[in-house]
Amino acid sequence: MNKPTVSIILCTYNGARFIREQLDSIVAQTYPLLEVIIQDDGSTDDTVAICNAYAARFPYIKVRRNEHNLGFNLNFKSAAMRAQGDFVAISDQDDIWFPQKISKQVAAIGNADLCFSDYYTDLHYTLPLHNYVSPRTDFEHMLFYDCTPGHSMLLRTDFVKGIKLWNYDIYYDWWLSMHAQMGHGLVKVNEALNWHR
């Protein structure tokens, strides 16, 4: 049986300082990637040049510049609509993913609409790692207090594209979490799979 395909969407805006580290961690994933869609929202630094250099080395990386600034909510939604894989994973421009992030999430998602994981904040390169974050999954908590963070999400592409109404005044990751709660649900990998700045 063929492996499910995975698209990564990476939205950028003046991210030159950290984008190389994140791209290095994405191309080092142990799971084969169908595509990495980088959608830039009007950067004025070297972000696009850096991304284009990676695209020249890795043919599955595609770089697109928005004609005008969309803001992060609409930029992530617009990029997700371009995904061609069975699954879509959301990437911030300044995190670092662990090599097995995608493989562990694909293995865990089952029939759910969304899979997410624990993560570390306050990026440090020396042990011990600290600020371990383990988001809660119960509907009440997610509704009133906190949501699944986008940078830890793997979603079914048909689920994302099937959302008819988007509210751009609400964080996109909260919107996705709530729709998943009302659909086929969420599952969680109880292990940190990335560092989040």
Side-chain angles (χ1 to χ4, degrees):
M1 188 169 88
N2 292 332
K3 283 187 171 186
T5 54
V6 176
S7 299
I8 309 297
I9 58 170
L10 170 56
C11 291
T12 58
Y13 180 73
N14 289 342
R17 183 179 175 194
F18 299 118
I19 190 69
R20 288 184 182 89
E21 290 175 293
Q22 177 62 323
L23 285 171
D24 285 343
S25 74
I26 288 173
V27 300
Q29 290 297 298
T30 59
Y31 195 93
L33 303 176
L34 176 67
E35 59 185 354
V36 178
I37 299 168
I38 301 172
Q39 190 157 297
D40 186 78
D41 206 24
S43 292
T44 56
D45 64 2
D46 292 332
T47 299
V48 174
I50 294 167
C51 293
N52 282 334
Y54 276 80
R57 292 170 51 207
F58 303 96
Y60 57 88
I61 296 179
K62 307 166 186 177
V63 182
R64 182 178 187 281
R65 297 191 79 169
N66 296 333
E67 292 180 7
H68 54 87
N69 184 276
L70 300 177
F72 74 93
N73 270 336
L74 184 53
N75 198 25
F76 272 110
K77 187 249 185 175
S78 172
M81 295 303 112
R82 300 177 187 283
Q84 298 299 310
D86 299 312
F87 298 112
V88 57
I90 296 173
S91 170
D92 287 343
Q93 65 184 358
D94 54 356
D95 296 336
I96 295 181
W97 287 5
F98 295 175
Q100 294 186 319
K101 179 182 189 294
I102 296 300
S103 63
K104 290 187 176 183
Q105 289 188 300
V106 170
I109 195 167
N111 295 319
D113 288 325
L114 189 159
C115 176
F116 67 108
S117 67
D118 297 341
Y119 57 95
Y120 290 107
T121 61
D122 292 343
L123 180 59
H124 292 283
Y125 294 105
T126 57
L127 295 174
L129 296 168
H130 65 286
N131 290 347
Y132 187 95
V133 180
S134 184
R136 287 172 56 174
T137 59
D138 53 289
F139 181 77
E140 214 172 81
H141 181 84
M142 295 177 75
L143 182 60
F144 293 109
Y145 300 105
D146 201 6
C147 72
T148 311
H151 62 81
S152 73
M153 287 183 178
L154 177 79
L155 309 107
R156 293 191 177 282
T157 305
D158 57 0
F159 157 71
V160 178
K161 292 185 176 183
I163 298 174
K164 302 301 182 192
L165 176 66
W166 289 73
N167 185 329
Y168 303 118
D169 294 322
I170 295 174
Y171 291 137
Y172 76 91
D173 45 10
W174 188 91
W175 201 243
L176 290 169
S177 298
M178 290 299 102
H179 276 79
Q181 285 279 14
M182 295 181 287
H184 294 105
L186 308 88
V187 296
K188 181 182 172 191
V189 177
N190 291 307
E191 174 184 352
L193 296 180
N194 69 290
W195 281 296
H196 176 64
R197 291 186 205 267

